[in-house]
Amino acid sequence: MEFISGLFNSVNEFLVAQLGELGPLIAVGGLGVLLVLAVLPSLLKKQKDPFKSVRETRDGHAASGGKKDRLRQGGKNEKLDRFAQYLEPQDEKELSATQLEMIRAGYRSKSAIQMFSFAKLALGIGGLLLGTLYALISGGGESAQSSILMVLVPGVVGYYAPKYWVQRRVQSREEEINGGFPDALDLMLVCVEAGQSLDQAIIKVAREIKPSYPALAEEFEIVSFEMKAGKDRTKVLRDMGERVGIQDVNSFITTLIQSSTFGTSIAEALRVYADEMRDKRVLRAEEKANKLPTKLTLFTMMFCVPPLLIILIGPSVYGIAQDLGGG
């Protein structure tokens, strides 16, 4: 017992000396995280179904059965689906908002929310481990507060990194759609005036703009597929506006719905709205150009003024210092 007590006291003193007063608590927390990571692979491992090969052989598609199942599931991750209650928001409104945000970021698979939650959890735990390892190697901070910050800051950064990535993806897709929407409207107007229907025009636009604006082309492809499946056109267009979440696209959809409802010419509506969108694109470019001098002013003050002051005032300051030192 004395040996065990002495060993425990030695370890405790070492942790306090290395990590501060909360050293033992940090060590216990790190050990707990390691145990959780050690258990996760066994929990995520799914037992193989012994009857799966029998069913595939019976149906006569043992080679292609797996691919068909994956297509029906829409990219669903079976391992993560077992922990859906832990990786998905339980509130229906929060779940819908998260799903809509993932769709706007371009992640449309059924397991997107689960992968997003798992990434936050894994990166958060990984950040805590890295912070703990760094604190152990560097000997901890000068105080317990600095040691805690060394451990917590990487974990917080890792936890919020996936959310920041998704927000950046949403922003980049919105910029791409805003940039390509006027060109898509011009091409759609040409197709409609050439005698094609709106459905055919949408398919043509999606095919032509895909190399330049893949995000917008993907949205138009979804619209064309849903129309081919027999879904109501008004519902399809409103769903596109909700997925995209851009005011200009929603206004365009409203224009198409009103034109279809009141029986007015779709070509005329497209011509007027395409002219308006081109004007908006020019205004956005002018707005960015007008903001540029203001943004450059800060960097000009930071990198140009200090060297200029050193060149102009430096010799005088040096001369005054020499006179004072000599006196």
Side-chain angles (χ1 to χ4, degrees):
M1 293 295 295
E2 293 181 358
F3 174 75
I4 296 176
S5 177
L7 180 62
F8 178 79
N9 292 332
S10 300
V11 173
N12 189 29
E13 292 175 358
F14 174 77
L15 292 175
V16 171
Q18 296 295 326
L19 301 177
E21 297 178 357
L22 297 180
L25 182 61
I26 296 174
V28 172
L31 181 60
V33 172
L34 289 176
L35 292 176
V36 171
L37 293 177
V39 174
L40 274 179
S42 61
L43 292 176
L44 294 176
K45 184 178 180 181
K46 187 175 181 181
Q47 297 294 331
K48 185 178 180 180
D49 187 3
F51 296 100
K52 184 176 181 180
S53 59
V54 178
R55 288 195 299 267
E56 291 177 350
T57 305
R58 180 192 62 189
D59 296 337
H61 59 279
S64 61
K67 294 182 180 179
K68 293 182 179 179
D69 291 341
R70 285 195 294 271
L71 289 175
R72 284 197 296 267
Q73 291 171 357
K76 194 173 182 181
N77 193 310
E78 296 181 359
K79 293 182 178 180
L80 293 180
D81 189 58
R82 297 175 58 188
F83 302 93
Q85 57 179 343
Y86 305 107
L87 298 176
E88 291 181 357
Q90 298 303 309
D91 182 59
E92 184 176 354
K93 184 179 296 185
E94 183 180 359
L95 178 62
S96 300
T98 306
Q99 186 176 12
L100 181 60
E101 185 178 12
M102 299 302 294
I103 290 176
R104 289 178 178 176
Y107 303 110
R108 305 181 184 277
S109 64
K110 292 183 178 180
S111 61
I113 299 179
Q114 299 172 5
M115 289 295 297
F116 175 66
S117 301
F118 180 74
K120 291 198 299 182
L121 178 62
L123 291 178
I125 294 176
L128 289 176
L129 290 175
L130 289 177
T132 304
L133 182 62
Y134 176 75
L136 290 173
I137 294 175
S138 63
E142 297 179 356
S143 62
Q145 184 177 2
S146 61
S147 300
I148 293 175
L149 289 177
M150 283 184 184
V151 176
L152 292 182
V153 169
V156 173
V157 172
Y159 182 80
Y160 285 102
K163 186 171 182 62
Y164 174 76
W165 171 262
V166 171
Q167 291 176 350
R168 290 293 299 172
R169 284 271 301 179
V170 172
Q171 184 179 357
S172 64
R173 281 175 61 87
E174 288 180 355
E175 292 176 355
E176 180 182 335
I177 291 174
N178 279 326
F181 198 58
D183 296 336
L185 289 182
D186 291 336
L187 182 57
M188 190 177 299
L189 175 61
V190 172
C191 294
V192 171
E193 289 183 341
Q196 292 185 344
S197 64
L198 181 61
D199 299 353
Q200 294 172 337
I202 291 175
I203 296 174
K204 182 67 175 178
V205 169
R207 186 183 304 114
E208 294 296 331
I209 68 173
K210 192 169 186 178
S212 302
Y213 308 103
L216 184 58
E218 183 181 3
E219 296 295 336
F220 279 127
E221 284 178 351
I222 294 175
V223 170
S224 64
F225 291 152
E226 290 182 345
M227 286 182 178
K228 287 180 180 179
K231 195 173 181 179
D232 182 62
R233 178 187 296 176
T234 302
K235 177 64 176 174
V236 170
L237 293 175
R238 292 192 185 279
D239 289 344
M240 176 185 174
E242 185 178 1
R243 287 195 309 269
V244 174
I246 298 176
Q247 182 61 38
D248 292 338
V249 178
N250 288 325
S251 300
F252 163 71
I253 289 171
T254 302
T255 301
L256 287 183
I257 293 175
Q258 290 178 350
S259 177
S260 177
T261 301
F262 296 109
T264 58
S265 174
I266 295 180
E268 186 64 27
L270 283 174
R271 183 180 297 106
V272 173
Y273 200 77
D275 293 338
E276 182 180 352
M277 288 302 300
R278 283 195 298 271
D279 294 338
K280 281 188 175 182
R281 182 165 63 178
V282 173
L283 291 176
R284 282 196 295 265
E286 292 178 352
E287 181 182 1
K288 291 182 178 180
N290 293 330
K291 287 180 179 179
L292 189 59
T294 306
K295 294 179 179 179
L296 289 176
T297 302
L298 177 62
F299 297 98
T300 303
M301 295 294 293
M302 289 176 58
F303 297 107
C304 295
V305 175
L308 183 62
L309 291 177
I310 292 174
I311 294 172
L312 295 177
I313 305 177
S316 301
V317 173
Y318 179 76
I320 294 172
Q322 289 292 328
D323 293 339
L324 293 175

